[in-house]
Coordinates of all heavy atoms in Angstrom, one line a residue:
Chain B
L170 N 32.6 18.3 -32.0 CA 32.1 18.2 -33.4 C 31.7 19.6 -33.9 O 30.9 20.3 -33.2 CB 30.9 17.3 -33.4 CG 31.2 15.8 -33.1 CD1 30.0 15.1 -32.5 CD2 31.7 15.1 -34.3
S171 N 32.1 19.9 -35.1 CA 31.8 21.2 -35.7 C 30.3 21.2 -36.2 O 29.8 20.1 -36.5 CB 32.7 21.6 -36.8 OG 32.4 20.8 -38.0
E172 N 29.7 22.4 -36.3 CA 28.4 22.4 -36.8 C 28.3 21.8 -38.2 O 27.3 21.0 -38.5 CB 27.9 23.9 -36.9 CG 26.5 24.1 -37.4 CD 26.2 25.6 -37.5 OE1 26.1 26.2 -36.5 OE2 25.9 26.0 -38.6
D173 N 29.2 22.1 -39.1 CA 29.2 21.5 -40.4 C 29.3 19.9 -40.3 O 28.6 19.3 -41.1 CB 30.3 22.0 -41.3 CG 30.0 23.4 -41.9 OD1 28.8 23.8 -41.9 OD2 30.9 24.1 -42.3
A174 N 30.2 19.4 -39.5 CA 30.3 18.0 -39.4 C 29.0 17.3 -39.1 O 28.6 16.3 -39.6 CB 31.4 17.6 -38.4
V175 N 28.3 18.0 -38.1 CA 27.0 17.4 -37.7 C 26.0 17.5 -38.8 O 25.3 16.6 -39.1 CB 26.5 18.2 -36.4 CG1 25.1 17.7 -36.0 CG2 27.5 18.0 -35.2
V176 N 26.0 18.7 -39.5 CA 25.0 18.9 -40.5 C 25.2 18.0 -41.7 O 24.2 17.3 -42.2 CB 25.1 20.4 -41.0 CG1 24.5 20.6 -42.3 CG2 24.5 21.4 -40.0
W177 N 26.4 17.8 -42.1 CA 26.7 16.9 -43.2 C 26.4 15.4 -42.9 O 25.9 14.7 -43.7 CB 28.1 17.1 -43.7 CG 28.3 18.5 -44.3 CD1 27.3 19.3 -44.9 CD2 29.5 19.3 -44.4 NE1 27.8 20.5 -45.3 CE2 29.1 20.5 -45.1 CE3 30.8 19.1 -44.0 CZ2 30.1 21.5 -45.3 CZ3 31.7 20.1 -44.3 CH2 31.4 21.3 -44.9
Q178 N 26.9 15.0 -41.7 CA 26.7 13.6 -41.4 C 25.2 13.3 -41.1 O 24.8 12.3 -41.5 CB 27.6 13.2 -40.2 CG 29.1 13.2 -40.6 CD 29.9 12.5 -39.6 OE1 29.7 11.4 -39.2 NE2 31.0 13.2 -39.1
Y179 N 24.6 14.2 -40.5 CA 23.1 14.0 -40.2 C 22.3 13.9 -41.5 O 21.3 13.2 -41.6 CB 22.6 15.0 -39.2 CG 22.6 14.5 -37.8 CD1 23.8 14.0 -37.2 CD2 21.4 14.4 -37.0 CE1 23.8 13.6 -35.9 CE2 21.4 13.9 -35.7 CZ 22.6 13.5 -35.1 OH 22.6 13.1 -33.8
S180 N 22.7 14.8 -42.5 CA 21.9 14.7 -43.7 C 22.2 13.4 -44.4 O 21.3 12.8 -45.2 CB 22.1 16.0 -44.6 OG 23.5 16.1 -44.8
R181 N 23.4 12.9 -44.3 CA 23.7 11.6 -44.9 C 23.0 10.5 -44.1 O 22.5 9.6 -44.7 CB 25.3 11.4 -44.7 CG 25.7 10.2 -45.5 CD 27.3 10.3 -45.6 NE 27.8 8.9 -46.0 CZ 28.7 8.2 -45.3 NH1 29.2 8.8 -44.2 NH2 29.1 7.1 -45.7
F182 N 22.8 10.6 -42.8 CA 22.0 9.7 -42.0 C 20.6 9.7 -42.6 O 19.9 8.6 -42.7 CB 21.9 10.0 -40.6 CG 23.3 9.9 -39.8 CD1 23.6 10.6 -38.7 CD2 24.2 8.9 -40.2 CE1 24.8 10.4 -38.0 CE2 25.4 8.7 -39.5 CZ 25.7 9.5 -38.4

Side-chain angles (χ1 to χ4, degrees):
Chain B
L170 296 153
S171 74
E172 182 183 294
D173 280 344
V175 175
V176 163
W177 293 334
Q178 290 193 53
Y179 264 57
S180 55
R181 191 165 162 237
F182 292 150

